[in-house]
Amino acid sequence: MPFTATAASENSSTVKLRIMETTDLHVNMVNYDYFADKPTDEYGFAKTATLIKQAREAATNSLLFDNGDLIQGNPLGDYTAVIDPLKQGETHPVYKAMNLLDYDAGNLGNHEFNYGLDFLSNSLAGADFPYVNANIYVDDKDKDESNDKNMFTPYLILDKEVKDESGATHKLKVGVIGFVPPQVMQWDKANLEGKVIAKDIIKTAEKFVPEMKAKGADIIVAIPHSGFEDIPQAENMENSVLYLSKVKDINAILFGHAHKVFPDKSFEGKPGVDLDKGTINGVPSVEPGFWGNNLGIIDLDLKLADGKWSVVDSKVEVKPIFDAVNKQPLVEADQEVLDAVEEDHEHTLDYIRGPVGKTTAPINSWFALVQDDPSIQIVTNAQKWYVEKQMQGTEYEGIPVLSAGAPFKAGGRQGPNYYTDIAAGDIAIKNVADLYLYSNTVNAVLVTGAELKEWLEWSAGQFNQIDTKSTAKQELVNLDFPTYNFDVIDGVTYQIDVTQPAKYDAKGTTVNEKSSRIVNLQFDGKAIDPKQKFVVASNNYRASSSKFANPDGKRIILASPDENRQVVIDYIRSFKTIDPAADGNWSLAAVKADVNVSFKTSPAAKTLADSLDALSYVGQTDDGYAEFKINLSAGATVPTTPTTPTTPTKPTEPGPTKPTTPATPSKPAKPATGTTQDTVYIVKSGDTLYRIALNHGTTWQKLATYNKLANPNRLSIGQKILIPAAK
């Protein structure tokens, strides 16, 4: 018997067990906005830690779990992974903080794989708590599923000593199992292909949960890094919580990934959801937002009868760290956490404040969803500049290069302050990180004109259909379509007719096969040729996971190790001073009807209200946005052909950087005969292979081959790079 209770007390034993969850922290250990370079009260684990301590103090029995997406997501994560990479034996700053809170276990999120398996292994070694993941397996390449081995510990059964309401002590066996979206195999293909495979979440749960019960688990807590979607069940679903709740013997679900809050009124009417109880198909479930802005809490009442524990009641709560209505902090930051990561935080501040160049005008993303926007233009210009150079001397040279970019910060579920806003003047690394949030690498794909149109049709799902017969207020932006999927493709011109229904939904499923929102699609001033080939600069995430960017999975012609963000930095440094004006290559098509169309954006945007012809300020909404009425009837015209920035004849940066260590010949020195020797370059903090190549008049591909680099995207400070002698 797994308990210490006596037979006489079994029938009256009730245990109250509190289960707490953090999720999608994305390296936000400090309550600090690295992009604005100022403290914030709206997120940060230092604040969540205070809630954890309060919630634990108020409960006799408690458990604490993290649900992943932990080591990537802000400049502190980039600094630790790329700028001054974590070394074996060092502790990642996220664990310096979280080890103070006595976590019982953690689950892996999809972003844990962004920096590769070696970095993940080094990071996890610093955690003072165990990790679970059940659906990532070692790729043994034998196509026999019966002998597949888990890459990580699939589940744990924790022996938890608990006290019942009378004060008696019991031993409770708590099963914990974790899952990650199978889509990691597309999203991080370069890091995972040939090494691991990912399996379906529901099938994996159906395999292991009975095994956990057979091994004595009294209750089972599932921790899926997966969201809730009420769509038909399919193989390898990304957001599978609805169907996970139907797996027998799961007693609580701690979910995440979607950066949403559950329970919340936005889930009202969803199948299986009881908002009052916080259950999905009767299973207590919680999702506490993102970046530490909330703590998820499930309180279970457990009853012991006939030697078995059962859940007889539950309560679910999401506790925020900030009062969004009254704009007031609800807790103070935990000083112990702040002290633990102070050195890492200060190094990150030094890094983000480093200069890049200048901008002649402000750059913001307030109107990126309704007109061509400078915050996207700079990114697409930089990607095009980079890819065109990479195409030189290849079979793709001469094929037109286009560039796809999306507004990463454009409000949505992250709130009215989630916008890029860079003042005119100096641009620092923190500003570039604000323009390009993710640690993606540059990819280029080869598509036809017809495929390009379908890519744009999917992107146009960003908008709701506007009813020309209605005079009621209509919201323009579809909030269920993530703004990071709203690809603007520069190098062609087009308009979006929002009076037509969307052809595809956010997942890319065809919903209106004959619909066409993209009109006047042109290249070089002429209607686009459906058969013409185009190279499109994008990122590894889009190129690997989108059927529109990569229709048959074979379209990637460039998979660079260089991050998109670093390319933007190099682009600005090369031009030194940039003009961020958008080229106006796309617009919303004119609507020949008197419609009342509403658009919500940052409250900071109302300062421009008087200067905007097509937008008129209405007022501030209850959720803190500025509401504008957008005039779609005022003669939108086909945009002019976009201009391409002129690449400088040479970078405005200084010439090749001298090594910090004296150069050493790669071969014994020969008598001076007028011939040159290879140069040895010593890698410094912040270096990438692309930057080193640029400064030495060569390409990263040549350096990677010459130095036999297995992973050109992972350089170490002090590493020697041989620069071939000029021929």
Side-chain angles (χ1 to χ4, degrees):
M1 181 178 291
F3 326 111
T4 57
T6 64
S9 65
E10 278 189 359
N11 294 329
S12 60
S13 296
T14 300
V15 165
K16 293 185 178 296
L17 178 65
R18 171 160 289 180
I19 303 172
M20 297 175 284
E21 180 199 13
T22 55
T23 190
D24 295 277
L25 291 173
H26 286 286
V27 212
N28 287 284
M29 296 297 104
V30 181
N31 54 309
Y32 200 87
D33 184 339
Y34 289 108
F35 306 118
D37 201 0
K38 64 181 182 181
T40 179
D41 288 316
E42 297 186 34
Y43 56 83
F45 179 74
K47 294 258 187 175
T48 328
T50 300
L51 286 181
I52 291 170
K53 290 181 177 180
Q54 291 175 353
R56 183 177 278 150
E57 183 68 23
T60 303
N61 312 294
S62 64
L63 293 163
L64 175 62
F65 302 105
D66 182 72
N67 196 5
D69 273 11
L70 180 61
I71 63 174
Q72 180 278 338
N74 73 5
L76 174 57
D78 293 336
Y79 185 87
T80 307
V82 178
I83 305 306
D84 187 8
L86 185 74
K87 297 178 181 62
Q88 194 168 6
E90 294 180 339
T91 301
H92 196 292
V94 298
Y95 297 120
K96 291 180 183 178
M98 296 172 71
N99 287 344
L100 300 172
L101 274 295
D102 297 323
Y103 274 80
D104 290 280
N107 177 47
L108 299 173
N110 53 288
H111 283 287
E112 261 61 71
F113 300 95
N114 287 172
Y115 301 118
L117 291 172
D118 288 344
F119 182 82
L120 175 58
S121 178
N122 283 345
S123 299
L124 294 179
D128 286 348
F129 50 91
Y131 266 81
V132 289
N133 172 273
N135 66 321
I136 299 291
Y137 287 78
V138 175
D139 186 358
D140 57 17
K141 302 177 178 63
D142 67 2
K143 297 182 180 181
D144 179 4
E145 290 195 12
S146 66
N147 64 359
D148 287 351
K149 295 181 179 179
N150 287 90
M151 182 72 179
F152 305 93
T153 302
Y155 62 84
L156 293 167
I157 298 180
L158 306 175
D159 289 314
K160 178 71 177 176
E161 186 175 278
V162 294
K163 288 185 178 180
D164 65 21
E165 292 298 277
S166 66
T169 300
H170 305 263
K171 288 292 181 66
L172 186 70
K173 289 187 175 293
V174 180
V176 183
I177 186 168
F179 311 92
V180 72
Q183 285 72 19
V184 292
M185 296 306 301
Q186 287 82 49
W187 298 335
D188 270 302
K189 182 177 180 180
N191 291 325
L192 301 180
E193 189 174 38
K195 300 174 182 176
V196 301
I197 57 174
K199 297 190 179 184
D200 181 77
I201 290 176
I202 306 305
K203 289 182 178 178
T204 303
E206 290 171 342
K207 171 186 176 181
F208 283 118
V209 169
E211 184 177 310
M212 296 166 73
K213 291 298 290 185
K215 290 185 177 180
D218 297 312
I219 64 168
I220 292 178
V221 179
I223 313 180
H225 193 83
S226 181
F228 178 104
E229 277 191 296
D230 55 338
I231 59 177
Q233 186 175 359
E235 182 82 9
N236 292 327
M237 282 185 70
E238 176 184 352
N239 295 306
S240 57
V241 166
L242 174 60
Y243 301 102
L244 188 66
S245 67
K246 297 179 180 181
V247 176
K248 184 183 178 182
D249 289 327
I250 291 178
N251 303 106
I253 298 176
L254 312 178
F255 64 110
H257 181 55
H259 288 209
K260 294 182 179 181
V261 170
F262 181 90
D264 178 79
K265 63 180 181 180
S266 61
F267 289 87
E268 190 170 357
K270 298 291 186 181
V273 169
D274 183 335
L275 287 180
D276 292 334
K277 290 293 292 181
T279 60
I280 303 173
N281 290 315
V283 180
S285 305
V286 72
E287 182 182 18
F290 59 95
W291 301 355
N293 60 353
N294 297 280
L295 175 67
I297 299 175
I298 296 177
D299 286 317
L300 299 179
D301 285 1
L302 305 176
K303 185 78 172 179
L304 179 63
D306 299 324
K308 294 183 178 180
W309 292 96
S310 60
V311 177
V312 294
D313 200 3
S314 64
K315 178 183 177 184
V316 179
E317 183 180 12
V318 177
K319 293 187 72 68
I321 66 170
F322 184 75
D323 181 344
V325 175
N326 298 307
K327 310 297 182 187
Q328 294 291 329
L330 298 176
V331 290
E332 294 296 321
D334 184 274
Q335 191 60 48
E336 192 177 13
V337 168
L338 295 178
D339 291 345
V341 298
E342 181 180 10
E343 185 177 355
D344 302 283
H345 174 63
E346 291 299 327
H347 286 320
T348 303
L349 293 181
D350 290 341
Y351 161 61
I352 65 167
R353 292 166 180 168
V356 174
K358 293 181 180 293
T359 173
T360 59
I363 306 170
N364 60 66
S365 61
W366 301 335
F367 303 107
L369 299 182
V370 295
Q371 64 184 27
D372 199 20
D373 188 80
S375 68
I376 302 173
Q377 189 75 56
I378 292 171
V379 172
T380 56
N381 282 354
Q383 291 174 170
K384 185 175 189 290
W385 170 79
Y386 175 86
V387 169
E388 283 182 335
K389 289 191 295 184
Q390 303 302 318
M391 293 298 101
Q392 292 174 8
T394 74
E395 62 183 295
Y396 306 105
E397 185 174 6
I399 297 176
V401 176
L402 312 178
S403 187
F408 294 135
K409 297 182 69 177
R413 67 183 68 154
Q414 271 78 13
N417 296 319
Y418 193 67
Y419 291 86
T420 295
D421 186 10
I422 302 169
D426 291 337
I427 298 178
I429 287 173
K430 63 184 178 183
N431 304 130
V432 179
D434 200 11
L435 285 168
Y436 205 103
L437 290 180
Y438 303 105
S439 299
N440 296 331
T441 54
V442 180
N443 275 209
V445 293
L446 187 67
V447 297
T448 66
E451 291 164 344
L452 187 73
K453 182 178 184 295
E454 296 310 301
W455 188 342
L456 289 170
E457 288 288 355
W458 172 59
S459 178
Q462 181 69 78
F463 305 104
N464 293 316
Q465 183 179 8
I466 300 302
D467 183 357
T468 57
K469 297 179 181 179
S470 174
T471 57
K473 183 170 73 172
Q474 301 180 66
E475 294 284 347
L476 177 63
V477 175
N478 175 10
L479 296 179
D480 291 329
F481 193 100
T483 64
Y484 55 71
N485 283 341
F486 178 54
D487 281 337
V488 170
I489 299 184
D490 271 303
V492 292
T493 59
Y494 57 97
Q495 293 175 296
I496 302 173
D497 184 355
V498 294
T499 66
Q500 300 300 311
K503 185 171 184 178
Y504 302 102
D505 65 13
K507 293 292 185 182
T509 304
T510 304
V511 289
N512 294 287
E513 187 174 0
K514 295 182 179 180
S515 183
S516 178
R517 282 186 159 184
I518 302 301
V519 296
N520 298 319
L521 176 58
Q522 298 184 356
F523 172 69
D524 203 18
K526 300 176 183 178
I528 201 164
D529 181 350
K531 296 181 180 179
Q532 181 171 354
K533 292 182 178 180
F534 295 94
V535 173
V536 185
S538 185
N539 60 65
N540 64 300
Y541 177 88
R542 183 72 79 242
S544 297
S545 63
S546 170
K547 68 178 182 181
F548 299 101
N550 194 348
D552 58 10
K554 301 175 182 178
R555 303 303 182 86
I556 298 174
I557 61 172
L558 173 68
S560 167
D562 298 314
E563 292 187 354
N564 298 68
R565 185 159 47 208
Q566 186 61 51
V567 167
V568 175
I569 290 172
D570 292 332
Y571 172 80
I572 296 172
R573 280 177 170 158
S574 293
F575 282 85
K576 200 169 185 178
T577 297
I578 60 168
D579 175 3
D583 61 23
N585 76 299
W586 77 274
S587 65
L588 297 172
V591 176
K592 296 178 181 179
D594 186 15
V595 289
N596 181 7
V597 179
S598 174
F599 167 66
K600 296 195 300 184
T601 185
S602 165
K606 64 184 180 183
T607 59
L608 300 178
D610 294 338
S611 63
L612 300 169
D613 294 335
L615 290 163
S616 54
Y617 179 63
V618 176
Q620 186 161 319
T621 63
D622 291 341
D623 53 359
Y625 284 91
E627 182 179 9
F628 285 81
K629 181 178 180 181
I630 181 168
N631 181 6
L632 295 180
S633 63
T637 57
V638 178
T640 57
T641 301
T643 57
T644 301
T646 302
T647 303
T649 55
K650 62 179 182 179
T652 55
E653 292 182 287
T657 307
K658 290 184 178 180
T660 54
T661 302
T664 303
S666 59
K667 299 178 182 179
K670 297 180 179 179
T673 60
T675 60
T676 56
Q677 296 284 333
D678 289 351
T679 302
V680 177
Y681 181 80
I682 308 300
V683 176
K684 303 189 302 299
S685 176
D687 277 340
T688 65
L689 198 61
Y690 167 67
R691 289 288 310 283
I692 296 169
L694 186 68
N695 282 340
H696 289 84
T698 184
T699 67
W700 67 263
Q701 293 99 326
K702 291 180 180 178
L703 288 187
T705 301
Y706 196 74
N707 288 271
K708 299 179 180 178
L709 299 179
N711 190 345
N713 202 26
R714 296 289 176 262
L715 301 182
S716 301
I717 295 174
Q719 181 178 348
K720 294 180 180 180
I721 299 295
L722 292 179
I723 312 296
K727 302 296 185 185

